[in-house]
Amino acid sequence: MKFISKFLFTLTLVITVVLGQHLKDVEIEAKVNELLHQMTFAEKVGQMTQFSGTNKRYEQMIREGKIGSLLNVIGAEVNNRIQKIAVEESRLGIPLVIGLDVIHGYRTIFPIPLAASASWDTVLIRKAAEIAAKEAASAGIHWTFAPMVDIARDPRWGRIAEGAGEDPFLGSAMTRAQVLGFQGKSLADPLTLLACGKHFVAYGGAEGGRDYNTVDISERTLREIYLPPFKAAVDAGVGTLMSAFNEISGVPTSANQFTLRKILKGEWGFDGFVVSDWNSIGELVAHGIAKDRLEAGVKGLTAGVDMDMEGRCYTTDMEALVADGTLSDGLIEDAVRRILRMKFKLGLFEHPYIDENLQKKLILHQDHIQTALELARESIVLLKNEKDVLPLNRKELNTIALIGPLADDKDAPLGTWRCQGKQEDVVTVYEGLKNKFGDDVKIIYAKGCDVKNNSRSEFNKAIKAARKADVVVMVMGESADMSGEAASRADLNLPGVQAELINAIAETNKPIVLVLMNGRPITLSNIESKVTAIVESWHLGIQHGNAVANVLTGDYNPSGKLTVTFPRSVGQIPIYYNHKSSGRPNNPSDKFTSKYIDLPSSPLYPFGYGLSYTEFRYTGIEVENNRLLSTDELVVSVNVKNTGKRGGDEVVQLYIRDMVGSVTRPVKELKGFQRVALEAGEQKTVQFQIPVRNLGAYDLDMNYTVEPGEFGIMVGGNSVNVLTTTVEVVRLK
Ligand code: GLC
């Protein structure tokens, strides 16, 4: 009896909640309809128009209902003032939705997304997004143009810094975490942000890794590699998406009915709205598919872009086209409906203004800074550690030579898209080491060179410092402006004369710990053998220096794993782990197989790779059932033991391979990962439960299916060193 009453209570609760949400949605639709029917044509296209910044002209346009959204207007006071014009001085009082690029923090700056993804810690990443939302919302922001979910397989592309690397499964997990973090439990909560999955779609596939360049991919690659993180965003309830600058095989994404209407709004049933990227509708003229802005606007709207960011293409000039039947008014109504729906969901009609006292309580709160340190530490990847030079043993150390252009740099840690991040908030590596060592260890600092220019004038001072030291810590890499938008690089070596400085310091025969600060994989083959250890620290945000010092001193055991492949040479690009076999898979001992004659075909560091100060041993991979139907669950377990002398976290990764399909399949695909903490000597059995349906792909006829046959199952601490077994997927007779 007790069970039944408990069941009925739960059922009632679920029905109430679902029904409650449904009633709210019905209520919102009624309000949208009511408002829509009062709007003039000019007010409708006004809602579809977004401008950057504000000024007297824009304020007058807001009064006239000609602007529906602003971006890059920052601060509770100014946003409340502008909002007051929209709400209290325009005819219908429709509030503005105000957007900003809050990519990896508002004022408390977290690691750049490529770094954060190396933590594989979706819980912490969600928490960081929640914090970013609180800080930005307290400053009057309603909407962030994040998460950036573009899969990137080409590190020449500067925007690889803004995403979660090369894998669709990991990228989807990171996307979900950020959307849930930004949007919280309810968009009506004044301290959450409307999120925006961008850039829809395949922007990272630019030829040559050159930003804004042509993308030419098959529908299969589009659906299996580039779309999944956007589907994850939609499944997580993302309220908006942003269309991109690039074309896909001849059709620009901001005029692409196949991706926007057929897939996004059709197959996926997306009910939020799509904003263009900056003037990406207007750029249809440069793409050569529109003769002028009016035609560009028609193409963007017809394809399914609902709001025009800084493009000035959605104007009252369209009214004549509606009148003569060239353009359907229904398209405009649908766009406005989607925009109004989000404004109602945001609660902007009920609460258009933000409490101006919140900013000073929330921004740069100590708890936020602590979270920034935690995520920064987890984002660091130990790539090399010979002679156990790390962790630095303060008892044995007298003097450290700290050398390099980024060792005491307050700008690089903020990375690209730093929002309101300020250098004054940054802890540099130099400061972090001083915080750690105090007066116990002498630190001789010598910059040695700059990031970009070729001056060698400070080499000698750096060499002298090295000669006096027990160990040399060199902090080198890229400045923040060398990654992000419009920052593609054709040469991925350390910029300037940094490699020369490493070679010069290596001549002193002192152990060198190279700490990298970069927004993309860089090629290290020319210096890798000259250094004893390599710590990949990316651009970690305001706590960069403390995080690096925690790792160098062993106060934190590094656990990060690469989410993007590090090539040996730029000549290998594109190079990624989930590649196809080809008919002649690489075999170094057979000339006539896929390879280079002047370089090994393997990467310098593979996807999923990262060392620890301890060792983890994998044994006993097992599947619960090795004959499965597509409706079953694949259950895989493996024993992971910490065989070292200290505790540590390990990211256990599960890959699969469909051995024979109706089309070629990647040699491996990530389908699961778990972070596990293990004390010295501790062993845990890690279990994965994966719906067999997740092992599917698009078959010869482009239908998503799980084809029967043998699947390889691989588990390990990176994508190369794995234990393997197999399962058989069978079809019901
Ligand atoms: C930029 C970027 C986009 C950003 C937008 C607004 O060009 O491509 O990611 O959200 O403009 O700043």
Side-chain angles (χ1 to χ4, degrees):
M1 194 54 191
K2 200 164 169 249
F3 167 77
I4 292 174
S5 59
K6 199 167 173 227
F7 171 75
L8 289 173
F9 170 75
T10 312
L11 186 64
T12 315
L13 191 66
V14 168
I15 289 170
T16 312
V17 169
V18 170
L19 206 55
Q21 185 54 51
H22 178 68
L23 285 177
K24 241 185 258 165
D25 291 348
V26 168
E27 210 179 301
I28 285 178
E29 291 313 302
K31 287 178 180 173
V32 167
N33 284 330
E34 186 193 339
L35 194 48
L36 203 53
H37 291 134
Q38 298 173 53
M39 295 173 79
T40 65
F41 190 89
E43 288 164 334
K44 289 176 186 173
V45 292
Q47 284 302 306
M48 299 159 65
T49 296
Q50 179 186 60
F51 284 151
S52 175
T54 189
N55 54 45
K56 290 299 170 210
R57 188 164 69 86
Y58 288 175
E59 289 174 14
Q60 185 50 33
M61 290 174 75
I62 290 167
R63 276 187 197 92
E64 294 162 3
K66 292 177 179 172
I67 295 178
S69 173
L70 292 175
L71 71 146
N72 299 330
V73 182
I74 294 161
E77 297 77 4
V78 64
N79 282 340
N80 280 344
R81 182 179 64 80
I82 299 288
Q83 189 70 293
K84 208 170 166 67
I85 296 172
V87 171
E88 299 177 19
E89 298 180 35
S90 73
R91 188 176 77 88
L92 292 171
I94 300 172
L96 296 167
V97 59
I98 298 172
L100 185 68
D101 292 286
V102 187
I103 308 298
H104 54 107
Y106 174 76
R107 172 74 186 272
T108 299
I109 301 301
F110 296 98
I112 56 170
L114 185 62
S117 70
S119 73
W120 299 56
D121 189 340
T122 53
V123 173
L124 202 49
I125 283 170
R126 177 170 175 173
K127 186 176 176 186
E130 284 167 2
I131 289 169
K134 285 194 176 80
E135 292 193 358
S138 75
I141 301 300
H142 311 125
W143 180 21
T144 178
F145 305 122
M148 187 274 212
V149 305
D150 299 306
I151 294 295
R153 295 171 143 178
D154 188 331
R156 291 172 294 183
W157 189 51
R159 302 200 78 165
I160 195 169
E162 300 172 48
E166 69 192 46
D167 180 71
F169 181 85
L170 184 87
S172 300
M174 295 299 150
T175 298
R176 174 181 165 76
Q178 293 175 83
V179 169
L180 296 176
F182 285 130
Q183 298 196 159
K185 291 185 176 57
S186 162
L187 283 174
D189 176 339
L191 291 180
T192 61
L193 291 178
L194 180 63
C196 179
K198 71 182 185 183
H199 306 78
F200 193 69
V201 58
Y203 181 24
E207 288 179 354
R210 207 164 75 242
D211 207 356
Y212 316 120
N213 202 16
T214 304
V215 175
D216 200 345
I217 53 176
S218 67
E219 182 184 345
R220 181 169 285 108
T221 298
L222 174 68
R223 286 186 179 274
E224 292 189 349
I225 301 298
Y226 293 101
L227 280 172
F230 288 97
K231 180 67 168 55
V234 170
D235 291 347
V238 75
T240 66
L241 290 183
M242 180 185 289
S243 67
F245 292 121
N246 58 286
E247 70 164 74
I248 299 177
S249 312
V251 184
T253 53
S254 293
N256 197 312
Q257 295 194 45
F258 177 69
T259 52
L260 288 164
R261 287 230 185 268
K262 183 178 186 304
I263 296 179
L264 176 64
K265 295 180 177 180
E267 290 174 22
W268 299 355
F270 177 64
D271 70 352
F273 71 84
V274 176
V275 63
S276 77
D277 201 339
W278 191 291
N279 187 36
S280 63
I281 296 173
E283 288 173 9
L284 298 179
V285 177
H287 272 289
I289 67 158
K291 65 179 183 304
D292 56 25
R293 283 189 178 280
L294 181 58
E295 186 178 13
V298 169
K299 292 213 166 189
L301 181 60
T302 306
V305 181
D306 304 300
M307 184 183 281
D308 172 14
M309 177 194 287
E310 276 290 343
R312 296 163 171 76
C313 294
Y314 290 172
T315 68
T316 47
D317 293 349
M318 290 176 150
E319 194 160 14
L321 300 180
V322 171
D324 71 15
T326 314
L327 183 66
S328 151
D329 191 34
L331 290 174
I332 291 173
E333 291 238 333
D334 179 57
V336 178
R337 183 185 305 282
R338 289 169 179 272
I339 294 165
L340 293 178
R341 180 181 296 141
M342 281 303 136
K343 289 187 174 182
F344 275 109
K345 287 192 172 186
L346 280 164
L348 293 175
F349 287 86
E350 291 86 3
H351 313 287
Y353 310 115
I354 187 68
D355 173 352
E356 295 173 14
N357 298 315
L358 285 172
Q359 293 173 104
K360 53 180 171 298
K361 289 179 203 158
L362 289 171
I363 290 175
L364 272 184
H365 189 284
Q366 189 47 42
D367 292 351
H368 299 177
I369 295 172
Q370 178 57 28
T371 302
L373 173 59
E374 288 165 13
L375 185 52
R377 281 189 310 218
E378 289 192 14
S379 303
I380 291 172
V381 185
L382 181 60
L383 297 176
K384 180 179 183 182
N385 186 23
E386 287 180 348
K387 303 178 190 138
D388 285 337
V389 68
L390 290 178
L392 301 175
N393 183 335
R394 64 180 73 200
K395 295 192 186 66
E396 293 163 8
L397 269 181
N398 293 311
T399 307
I400 293 174
L402 180 63
I403 295 168
L406 296 175
D408 200 28
D409 181 280
K410 284 196 174 284
D411 185 79
L414 294 171
T416 185
W417 291 107
R418 60 191 54 192
C419 200
Q420 294 300 294
K422 298 191 182 331
Q423 293 186 15
E424 68 204 49
D425 306 329
V426 168
V427 177
T428 68
V429 173
Y430 191 10
E431 291 165 337
L433 288 174
K434 281 192 286 189
N435 291 342
K436 270 288 168 214
F437 286 125
D439 300 330
D440 297 351
V441 178
K442 185 179 177 195
I443 299 173
I444 308 171
Y445 168 59
K447 190 177 178 186
C449 68
D450 285 330
V451 170
K452 295 171 192 167
N453 77 39
N454 294 340
S455 162
R456 298 165 181 79
S457 60
E458 292 190 42
F459 272 34
N460 287 337
K461 195 173 154 206
I463 293 165
K464 281 199 188 91
R467 289 201 175 109
K468 293 176 189 159
D470 309 308
V471 66
V472 182
V473 175
M474 300 188 80
V475 188
M476 331 280 283
E478 295 178 323
S479 48
D481 61 358
M482 300 182 82
S483 58
E485 184 172 359
S488 295
R489 291 182 66 201
D491 174 349
L492 296 184
N493 285 335
L494 283 166
V497 293
Q498 296 182 72
E500 278 184 49
L501 179 59
I502 291 173
N503 289 328
I505 299 297
E507 295 293 310
T508 67
N509 293 317
K510 300 284 183 176
I512 297 174
V513 174
L514 174 62
V515 177
L516 290 172
M517 291 180 63
N518 40 297
R520 57 155 63 75
I522 48 180
T523 43
L524 300 162
S525 301
N526 56 341
I527 52 95
E528 191 273 339
S529 62
K530 301 290 177 63
V531 299
T532 323
I534 301 176
V535 176
E536 174 55 79
S537 76
W538 316 102
H539 295 140
L540 292 172
I542 59 173
Q543 283 292 303
H544 190 113
N546 286 333
V548 168
N550 275 223
V551 166
L552 295 187
T553 58
D555 288 353
Y556 181 79
N557 183 0
S559 57
K561 303 278 185 176
L562 295 178
T563 60
V564 63
T565 299
F566 272 53
R568 296 173 188 276
S569 157
V570 74
Q572 290 180 295
I573 294 169
I575 180 171
Y576 45 87
Y577 89 94
N578 49 352
H579 60 79
K580 301 299 188 66
S581 163
S582 85
R584 295 195 174 189
N586 175 254
N587 173 354
S589 56
D590 178 345
K591 173 177 172 54
F592 299 97
T593 59
S594 180
K595 69 165 74 70
Y596 299 99
I597 58 172
D598 54 354
L599 197 70
S601 294
S602 58
L604 184 61
Y605 302 114
F607 177 85
Y609 174 83
L611 299 175
S612 168
Y613 291 147
T614 187
E615 304 283 329
F616 298 102
R617 190 176 66 213
Y618 288 71
T619 56
I621 184 170
E622 276 181 20
V623 292
E624 198 170 78
N625 177 352
N626 60 9
R627 281 176 64 79
L628 298 160
L629 297 172
S630 60
T631 51
D632 287 338
E633 198 171 61
L634 166 66
V635 181
V636 186
S637 59
V638 68
N639 301 321
V640 186
K641 181 169 186 176
N642 178 342
T643 56
K645 298 187 179 63
R646 57 167 295 160
D649 288 2
E650 170 72 335
V651 178
V652 182
Q653 301 154 45
L654 181 137
Y655 299 88
I656 61 109
R657 178 179 185 177
D658 184 349
M659 303 308 287
V660 178
S662 62
V663 293
T664 60
R665 304 294 311 135
V667 295
K668 60 187 67 158
E669 297 172 68
L670 181 74
K671 292 295 179 187
F673 62 89
Q674 292 182 42
R675 276 183 70 96
V676 287
L678 290 167
E679 289 310 320
E682 185 182 9
Q683 173 168 293
K684 280 181 184 170
T685 298
V686 178
Q687 189 177 81
F688 294 93
Q689 287 102 12
I690 297 161
V692 171
R693 179 153 177 69
N694 290 6
L695 311 188
Y698 287 85
D699 66 13
L700 207 51
D701 305 318
M702 282 308 290
N703 298 313
Y704 182 87
T705 179
V706 184
E707 295 182 323
E710 185 184 7
F711 281 75
I713 309 296
M714 297 155 269
V715 180
N718 60 63
S719 61
V720 173
N721 311 103
V722 291
L723 297 183
T724 60
T725 185
T726 60
V727 294
E728 186 83 19
V729 173
V730 295
R731 206 191 287 283
L732 267 181
K733 292 286 176 244

Tab-separated table of all heavy atoms in Angstrom, residues 582-597 599 601:
chain	number	residue	atom	x	y	z
A	582	SER	N	41.200	4.403	-44.069
A	582	SER	CA	41.685	4.378	-45.472
A	582	SER	C	41.942	2.914	-45.857
A	582	SER	O	41.941	2.014	-45.005
A	582	SER	CB	42.978	5.188	-45.664
A	582	SER	OG	44.110	4.390	-45.348
A	583	GLY	N	42.181	2.684	-47.125
A	583	GLY	CA	42.420	1.307	-47.583
A	583	GLY	C	43.840	0.874	-47.292
A	583	GLY	O	44.166	-0.302	-47.371
A	584	ARG	N	44.701	1.863	-46.980
A	584	ARG	CA	46.091	1.528	-46.665
A	584	ARG	C	46.489	2.265	-45.391
A	584	ARG	O	47.239	3.249	-45.415
A	584	ARG	CB	46.996	1.934	-47.823
A	584	ARG	CG	46.699	1.144	-49.088
A	584	ARG	CD	47.789	1.269	-50.108
A	584	ARG	NE	47.564	0.407	-51.257
A	584	ARG	CZ	48.452	0.202	-52.219
A	584	ARG	NH1	49.619	0.840	-52.169
A	584	ARG	NH2	48.183	-0.596	-53.225
A	585	PRO	N	45.926	1.822	-44.274
A	585	PRO	CA	46.218	2.506	-43.016
A	585	PRO	C	47.710	2.569	-42.734
A	585	PRO	O	48.459	1.680	-43.139
A	585	PRO	CB	45.486	1.659	-41.978
A	585	PRO	CG	45.177	0.364	-42.628
A	585	PRO	CD	45.085	0.628	-44.088
A	586	ASN	N	48.099	3.624	-42.066
A	586	ASN	CA	49.505	3.896	-41.812
A	586	ASN	C	50.213	2.687	-41.220
A	586	ASN	O	49.784	2.121	-40.226
A	586	ASN	CB	49.618	5.071	-40.829
A	586	ASN	CG	51.064	5.329	-40.434
A	586	ASN	OD1	51.467	5.008	-39.328
A	586	ASN	ND2	51.843	5.862	-41.355
A	587	ASN	N	51.312	2.261	-41.892
A	587	ASN	CA	52.157	1.176	-41.366
A	587	ASN	C	53.594	1.599	-41.651
A	587	ASN	O	54.046	1.530	-42.802
A	587	ASN	CB	51.817	-0.147	-42.054
A	587	ASN	CG	52.796	-1.247	-41.635
A	587	ASN	OD1	53.778	-0.976	-40.934
A	587	ASN	ND2	52.526	-2.468	-42.058
A	588	PRO	N	54.297	2.066	-40.635
A	588	PRO	CA	55.639	2.612	-40.852
A	588	PRO	C	56.580	1.666	-41.590
A	588	PRO	O	57.485	2.092	-42.286
A	588	PRO	CB	56.131	2.885	-39.423
A	588	PRO	CG	54.903	3.012	-38.599
A	588	PRO	CD	53.887	2.092	-39.237
A	589	SER	N	56.303	0.345	-41.483
A	589	SER	CA	57.259	-0.584	-42.129
A	589	SER	C	56.825	-0.957	-43.535
A	589	SER	O	57.459	-1.768	-44.191
A	589	SER	CB	57.371	-1.854	-41.259
A	589	SER	OG	56.066	-2.399	-41.102
A	590	ASP	N	55.739	-0.352	-43.995
A	590	ASP	CA	55.304	-0.664	-45.365
A	590	ASP	C	55.209	0.644	-46.144
A	590	ASP	O	54.396	1.504	-45.848
A	590	ASP	CB	53.932	-1.365	-45.323
A	590	ASP	CG	53.407	-1.661	-46.736
A	590	ASP	OD1	53.948	-1.088	-47.721
A	590	ASP	OD2	52.452	-2.447	-46.854
A	591	LYS	N	56.081	0.771	-47.119
A	591	LYS	CA	56.165	2.050	-47.856
A	591	LYS	C	54.803	2.459	-48.402
A	591	LYS	O	54.412	3.605	-48.365
A	591	LYS	CB	57.183	1.885	-48.991
A	591	LYS	CG	57.272	3.070	-49.959
A	591	LYS	CD	58.352	2.842	-51.010
A	591	LYS	CE	58.343	3.893	-52.103
A	591	LYS	NZ	58.424	5.282	-51.591
A	592	PHE	N	54.097	1.463	-48.953
A	592	PHE	CA	52.877	1.799	-49.681
A	592	PHE	C	51.653	1.845	-48.769
A	592	PHE	O	50.657	1.167	-49.013
A	592	PHE	CB	52.691	0.825	-50.843
A	592	PHE	CG	53.825	0.894	-51.827
A	592	PHE	CD1	54.861	-0.017	-51.764
A	592	PHE	CD2	53.879	1.930	-52.749
A	592	PHE	CE1	55.939	0.070	-52.657
A	592	PHE	CE2	54.942	2.020	-53.653
A	592	PHE	CZ	55.978	1.093	-53.595
A	593	THR	N	51.808	2.608	-47.710
A	593	THR	CA	50.645	2.858	-46.828
A	593	THR	C	50.621	4.358	-46.542
A	593	THR	O	51.593	5.067	-46.809
A	593	THR	CB	50.750	2.082	-45.483
A	593	THR	OG1	51.952	2.491	-44.821
A	593	THR	CG2	50.769	0.585	-45.723
A	594	SER	N	49.520	4.827	-45.956
A	594	SER	CA	49.304	6.269	-45.812
A	594	SER	C	50.276	6.878	-44.806
A	594	SER	O	50.200	6.603	-43.611
A	594	SER	CB	47.860	6.511	-45.348
A	594	SER	OG	47.633	7.894	-45.215
A	595	LYS	N	51.221	7.693	-45.322
A	595	LYS	CA	52.249	8.249	-44.419
A	595	LYS	C	52.952	9.402	-45.087
A	595	LYS	O	52.695	9.726	-46.238
A	595	LYS	CB	53.256	7.169	-44.044
A	595	LYS	CG	54.115	6.744	-45.210
A	595	LYS	CD	55.333	5.946	-44.751
A	595	LYS	CE	54.923	4.579	-44.329
A	595	LYS	NZ	54.511	3.767	-45.477
A	596	TYR	N	53.824	10.078	-44.344
A	596	TYR	CA	54.730	11.083	-44.916
A	596	TYR	C	56.116	10.445	-44.986
A	596	TYR	O	56.469	9.644	-44.119
A	596	TYR	CB	54.790	12.326	-44.028
A	596	TYR	CG	53.460	13.017	-43.851
A	596	TYR	CD1	52.693	12.800	-42.698
A	596	TYR	CD2	52.925	13.859	-44.832
A	596	TYR	CE1	51.465	13.411	-42.524
A	596	TYR	CE2	51.699	14.469	-44.671
A	596	TYR	CZ	50.973	14.236	-43.509
A	596	TYR	OH	49.748	14.827	-43.338
A	597	ILE	N	56.913	10.838	-45.945
A	597	ILE	CA	58.265	10.251	-46.009
A	597	ILE	C	59.229	11.047	-45.122
A	597	ILE	O	60.341	10.627	-44.858
A	597	ILE	CB	58.805	10.232	-47.462
A	597	ILE	CG1	58.846	11.649	-48.075
A	597	ILE	CG2	57.985	9.283	-48.322
A	597	ILE	CD1	59.542	11.699	-49.413
A	599	LEU	N	58.234	12.516	-41.951
A	599	LEU	CA	57.735	12.721	-40.581
A	599	LEU	C	56.865	11.527	-40.185
A	599	LEU	O	56.118	11.023	-41.035
A	599	LEU	CB	56.867	14.001	-40.558
A	599	LEU	CG	56.557	14.646	-39.211
A	599	LEU	CD1	57.826	15.281	-38.619
A	599	LEU	CD2	55.476	15.691	-39.367
A	601	SER	N	53.600	9.724	-38.914
A	601	SER	CA	52.214	10.169	-39.136
A	601	SER	C	51.472	10.394	-37.828
A	601	SER	O	50.420	11.030	-37.805
A	601	SER	CB	51.469	9.128	-39.971
A	601	SER	OG	52.045	9.085	-41.255
